[in-house]
Structures are given as structure tokens and as C-alpha cells.
Amino acid sequence: MAVNLPPLLEPELRHLVDTLPVGVLVQDATPTIRYVNQRALDLLGMTADQLLGRSILDPHWSVVRLDGSTFPQDEFPAMQALRTGRAVDDVVMGVRNNSQTARIWILVRAQPSFDAQGAVTRVIVTFTDITALRAAEEARATAVVEAERFRSALDEVPAFVYIKDRASRYQYANAPTLRLFGVSAEELAGSGDERFFPPDVVARLRAVDLRALAGERTHETISVRTPTGERIYLEVKSPLAPDPVTGEVPGLLGISIDITERRHLEDVFRQSQRLEAIGRLAGGVAHDFNNMLGVILGHTELALAAVPAGSAPHEHLEEIHAAARRSADLTKQLLAFSRKQPSTPIPLHIATHARETIRLLRRLVGEDIALGIDAGGDDWMAHLDPSQLDQVLANLCVNAADAIRGARTTAADAGRARAIQIETAHAVVAPTEAHQQGVLPGEYVRLTVRDTGPGIPPDVRERMFEPFFTTKPAGEGTGLGLATVFGIVAQANGFITVDSTMGEGSAFHLHLPRVREGTSPTAAPPATHAASGGSETIFVVEDEPAVLQLAVRALGALGYRVFSAADGASALRLAEAHDGPIDLLLTDLIMPGMNGRELAEALQARRPGLRVLFMSGYTADILHGGVAAFDDAAVLAKPFSIQELAAHIRAALLR
């Protein structure tokens, strides 16, 4: 049907208005719609019959604001212009008629028209479709929100994330990167690596950047010195998407992770594996030595008893005996390193014991070096053998004194204090540190030995706990001092940390698990008795022939009835065939096939009340052999003298 053009539009304008890309609607003061152009009909999705002659307020469509709320009819631009007589510009409205499923967004302007008396007679409404523009704005707003969300997420990532251009200038960096560099995002933009790193590091970073810009995904590890020390970073770099027009890679994305702690843990793990392997070897060698030394000591004692005192042979035998004893002490150090040294740990007040030891330590250190102690706080206890604590303190203090004396070569050094300080304190080991050290978290007694020596070079620190490693001249040290300390602390389920600065000194921090008052001490060894013999029957089982022969001979000399076996299986057969009583089983713990514990269980099942005395070269035997299951069993540590053998035998028989 034809559209009625009201008098306000001259006929020659009809065609022009109908072809405008802008919707045009005219309403009178009633307010009734008197004209709509074709563009308005197209945008509103309605026909002229549906609009002309109807009120603009008829519910032909729903109208909403930008926020989605209903647009009040009295606030329609046309109604405001009709009511106020003023033009209303640039109002955004979301419109959908009753038959439409999609809403369109229009930008509306309402212009009033007046009669000769100045009254508003009509309103001309023009509107433009901004649906596409609105969608683009929403997409941009969503993109901004998503980008901000992504930036926030990157700022929380425990890694350094950044973007560089082709010239290796920073274009973006997340919060951890900005904190690392100590700059703001504005200060970083456009900066290169030369602002933050030395030339050699810059050259290496640029070389990796060029590989990434060439399309390669790179993985590099780089060490950087920071104010807090050397840090190690894993750098992963990838090229950005190429420009769709030129095909050129505009820059690169970099992700850097601080792997310093991981590397430290790897180094600690490798070091512990190496020390464990060395410890097993040292423990095995020391165990075999102990067997041989026991034979030497025993036969020397038998010979001494047969040779007149004061004679030349007697003196030679005494020298052999003394040398064997010194060798036994050396094997004890090896066993301490490998955590297999027989010990008698008790709940020990560490600070009190350290104060009681200070006088002896001063004699070891010498008068030219000041030795002090600061044992403050409550006197916490740790489970430790007192003699082992003495050995730990002696080894650390002697090492520190040797380092101090060997370092005074310059005038500056000569003016520094020559001092060693022993300190005790409480320490709470958090789960993270406990995991790093391979111990349980909780309360520890920290025992520190601090010196003013020259410090420990990094290459020495890597190996200082290895047995036989020493920096002293040949003949001046066994290399077992720190190895022994390491073994004793590890055997007590503790750990050691070391602080050292070249030219300033070192501090060894020993952490020992705290035990509470009332903790039951480990059972003390049996009381010693005079080296007397007896007439009881003793069954000796030992897989080392020399040790077995010595024990049989020594016990026979003491008056005991003795029979023997070289392994568990033959021992069972002999015991089965033996008609008389067996008063005591003297057996080695670790033997091929059936071990000492299993043998003792089998014989006690056949002979209830059989007493047992175990022989062991180191504590690991005791744990492995399960001596804890034998409440009345004692352990004779190898190497042993005939006097010690006789005393333990007598004590075992009297239990």
C-alpha cells in the first residue's frame, strides 16, 4: 500500500526520505504514528499497516536499555521531545517486535516540530542500526575482561613470563618478572636484557632469542648472579604466530622457571647416594677388618699370657696389641661414617654435655685460639651416645683450629680474631626443609660449631664428608674427621647444614631430633665381670674361621666346655645330635643362609631357656638381625678382647 506522506514533507522529498539508510518515523502530539520510511519498516520488521495510525506506546515491541532493563515508555526519546519541546540525541535502545527472535540495537534522535503558536505538533524520530557495532563493542569488552583475567592468572603463576619483539626488547612481563627486575611495566617496556644482565649473559640470551625467532622452540638452563646469590633458571622460548601478511615472526614468548632449589635437591640427592655407596663400602671393609683385628687382639693376648712380663717378646707383643687397638679405633671411625658403629644412645642434655666437654676441647684446640660456648635457652635433649657427641665436638673443633692456623698468611688475616664458638639452640624444622634433608619435621636441638677460618671452597664442600678426603698434607690427616661426624649425626636421624663465606669463616649446624623428658634410654650394655671362666657348655657359631677358632680356644682356656659350627644349618644338626645341656649360644648375627637371630629362635624352640649372646661388627647387624625380639639377649661388639669376651659370657650366663 502507499505510504501517506504528511504535510510536513513535501512530495519531492518522499523519494529521498524513503531511500535514506536511516529509519525515519513521524508521530503527532496524540501520539500517533503518521509516517515511517522503508528503512524504518525494514529495521523494525513490521509493515506500514502495523504502524501507521497506531500509538507509539502500543505494545508492538519490547524495548530495553543497555543494561537489559525495560525502557519506560515515558522516557522514549519521542515522548521526551513531545513533553519538553527539546531535541533528544543519541539514545541507545534495544528493540524487538513480538514476532522477532533477535533484538536489534538502534541509536535514536528525536526532534520536535512546532506550530505558529510554539506548540509541539509532531516529533521526527530518526534511528540508525548499531547492532553490529554493539556486538563488536561487547566482543571487545569481553576480550578486555578475558585479557585482564589472563593477565591476573599470569601474575599468579610461579614463573617468569614475558614477550619480546624481534630486537629482544621486552613488550610484556608478568608480575613475578617485574619483581625480579625491580621495575614497573612502563619502565620495562622497550628495555633490553643489557639493562639487567652482564654482557656475557646478554650475548647468550640473544643467541637463544634468535633461534626462537627463527621458529625453534628452545630449552636452555642459565645461571645468573643475583643480590641473594647464584640462581639457576630454565628458559623455554617459543616464536609468536607469524604475521598473516608478511609471514614474519613478530617476537617470542618466554617462560623462565627458577630451578635453583630443585637443582640443590638433586645435588643433595646425588651427594647422599654417593656417600651412601661409600658408606656401604667403608662399612663392609671395616666389618671385615674388625674380624681380623679381633683375631690379632685375641691371639696377642693369649701370647702375652704365655710370655714372661718384661721380656723382649712380651714387649713386642704389647706393641702389636697397641697397634691393633689403634687400628680398631680407625675402623670405628669408618663404621661411624657408614652409620654402623655400635653405640649406646641415651636421652642426653646437649647443652649441658657440651659445657662439660669444653675444658677437654680447649686442650685439643690449643691456647692460641679462643674457644667459647653459648649454650642458651632450655637444655633440650637428643638421643645420642655421650662418647659420640664428644667425638663430634672434638673432630669439628680440631678441624676448625687447623683451618684457622693454616689461613693466617696475610697482614689482614693476622689482625682477625682466632676463635671457635660452640652454640646450642632450639630449632623447628618445617615440612619443606625436612623434605629437603630427608628427615621428619618437628623440634630439633641445633648444635653449632663456628670458626673464623678462611672458609670452605665450593669444590671442597662437595666432598668434605667423604671418608679419606682431606685437604691436609700427606701424613697429617686421615680424612675421617668430618665423615665420622656425618655418620654419627645421620645415625641419630639428624642432619647437617654448613654456612661458609670465603675469608670470613664457617659454621657447621648439627640438627638432632629432640626427645622429651622421661624418654626411656636404650638399654645399657651388660655390667662387666672379671675375666673369670666356668664349666658351662657354650655353643659357638661363627662363619669366619679365624674368629671361630679364637673364640673356641679362648673359651676352652677359661674352662668352658665348647663345641662349634660354621653356619646355621650345621649348627642345628650339631645341636640336635648333642645329648648334653647347652647353657649359652654365642653366635654371629650376619651369616650366610640362616642368620644368628633365626638360629637362636630355632634353638630356643627346641631348648627353652637357652641363653643367647650375639656377636656383631656394627649396629646395622643388630637392626637387621632383629635382636630387639630377644629381651634377654646382649650384643658383644667386634673386635673384642679375651677379657671382654670372658666378661660378656659370664654376664650372659648369670642373667
Side-chain angles (χ1 to χ4, degrees), residues 246-277:
T246 66
E248 185 179 65
V249 174
L252 62 90
L253 169 67
I255 301 176
S256 181
I257 303 172
D258 189 338
I259 60 172
T260 308
E261 297 305 321
R262 190 178 80 184
R263 281 292 181 89
H264 171 70
L265 288 176
E266 290 172 353
D267 291 342
V268 169
F269 179 67
R270 282 193 294 268
Q271 175 75 352
S272 66
Q273 283 186 312
R274 184 166 69 246
L275 290 175
E276 183 68 24

Side-chain angles (χ1 to χ4, degrees), residues 104-299:
I104 67 167
W105 292 91
I106 56 177
L107 185 65
V108 182
R109 184 178 187 276
Q111 178 65 48
S113 179
F114 305 93
D115 60 13
Q117 287 74 37
V120 177
T121 57
R122 60 183 63 84
V123 177
I124 302 172
V125 180
T126 59
F127 50 93
T128 305
D129 183 5
I130 61 168
T131 304
L133 179 62
R134 170 71 176 163
E137 288 177 347
E138 288 181 346
R140 281 195 297 270
T142 300
V144 169
V145 171
E146 290 299 322
E148 187 57 36
R149 186 178 299 159
F150 186 64
R151 283 176 180 267
S152 298
L154 286 179
D155 286 342
E156 298 302 321
V157 169
F160 308 106
V161 183
Y162 54 86
I163 294 175
K164 290 181 177 180
D165 62 16
R166 292 190 61 81
S168 293
R169 292 186 294 264
Y170 289 94
Q171 303 300 306
Y172 162 79
N174 67 343
T177 307
L178 296 175
R179 288 194 294 269
L180 176 68
F181 289 153
V183 297
S184 65
E186 294 74 16
E187 292 170 331
L188 179 68
S191 298
D193 288 317
E194 63 276 0
R195 179 175 177 180
F196 309 106
F197 303 110
D200 59 324
V201 176
V202 172
R204 183 176 175 186
L205 292 174
R206 178 56 178 166
V208 178
D209 288 354
L210 291 175
R211 287 164 50 199
L213 292 169
E216 180 183 350
R217 182 179 174 86
T218 66
H219 295 76
E220 296 287 332
T221 301
I222 185 168
S223 297
V224 178
R225 180 163 293 281
T226 69
T228 59
E230 193 80 13
R231 308 299 296 180
I232 303 173
Y233 299 97
L234 173 63
E235 294 262 339
V236 178
K237 296 180 180 179
S238 302
L240 297 177
D243 186 284
V245 178
T246 66
E248 185 179 65
V249 174
L252 62 90
L253 169 67
I255 301 176
S256 181
I257 303 172
D258 189 338
I259 60 172
T260 308
E261 297 305 321
R262 190 178 80 184
R263 281 292 181 89
H264 171 70
L265 288 176
E266 290 172 353
D267 291 342
V268 169
F269 179 67
R270 282 193 294 268
Q271 175 75 352
S272 66
Q273 283 186 312
R274 184 166 69 246
L275 290 175
E276 183 68 24
I278 295 173
R280 290 183 182 220
L281 176 62
V285 170
H287 182 264
D288 292 342
F289 269 138
N290 269 342
N291 281 334
M292 297 301 100
L293 288 170
V295 174
I296 294 171
L297 286 168
H299 283 288

Side-chain angles (χ1 to χ4, degrees), residues 357-374:
T357 313
I358 196 72
R359 183 174 299 176
L360 171 63
L361 294 175
R362 284 199 174 102
R363 287 198 293 269
L364 289 174
V365 167
E367 296 181 357
D368 59 324
I369 296 175
L371 176 63
I373 183 168
D374 180 9

Side-chain angles (χ1 to χ4, degrees), residues 258-446:
D258 189 338
I259 60 172
T260 308
E261 297 305 321
R262 190 178 80 184
R263 281 292 181 89
H264 171 70
L265 288 176
E266 290 172 353
D267 291 342
V268 169
F269 179 67
R270 282 193 294 268
Q271 175 75 352
S272 66
Q273 283 186 312
R274 184 166 69 246
L275 290 175
E276 183 68 24
I278 295 173
R280 290 183 182 220
L281 176 62
V285 170
H287 182 264
D288 292 342
F289 269 138
N290 269 342
N291 281 334
M292 297 301 100
L293 288 170
V295 174
I296 294 171
L297 286 168
H299 283 288
T300 304
E301 289 179 15
L302 290 174
L304 282 169
V307 175
S311 64
H314 194 279
E315 292 178 358
H316 294 320
L317 289 170
E318 285 182 333
E319 287 296 326
I320 294 172
H321 191 270
R325 274 297 180 191
R326 288 194 296 272
S327 298
D329 291 339
L330 185 61
T331 61
K332 283 183 180 179
Q333 294 186 61
L334 280 174
L335 289 170
F337 167 74
S338 60
R339 309 179 215 177
K340 298 172 182 177
Q341 179 183 1
S343 61
T344 307
I346 61 172
L348 184 66
H349 290 279
I350 301 299
T352 297
H353 193 86
R355 281 192 292 265
E356 292 172 351
T357 313
I358 196 72
R359 183 174 299 176
L360 171 63
L361 294 175
R362 284 199 174 102
R363 287 198 293 269
L364 289 174
V365 167
E367 296 181 357
D368 59 324
I369 296 175
L371 176 63
I373 183 168
D374 180 9
D378 296 333
D379 197 356
W380 281 8
M381 296 189 299
H383 216 231
L384 198 65
D385 188 320
S387 64
Q388 288 187 332
L389 180 56
D390 294 342
Q391 190 174 8
V392 164
L393 289 171
N395 287 0
L396 290 176
C397 289
V398 169
N399 266 16
D402 290 345
I404 292 171
R405 292 191 183 95
R408 307 308 174 188
T409 56
T410 67
D413 287 335
R416 290 172 52 202
R418 299 156 63 91
I420 300 171
Q421 182 76 3
I422 299 172
E423 304 165 3
T424 60
H426 306 164
V428 177
V429 177
T432 301
E433 184 181 4
H435 176 70
Q436 293 175 354
Q437 299 294 342
V439 298
L440 294 175
E443 294 179 326
Y444 283 72
V445 183
R446 185 171 63 226

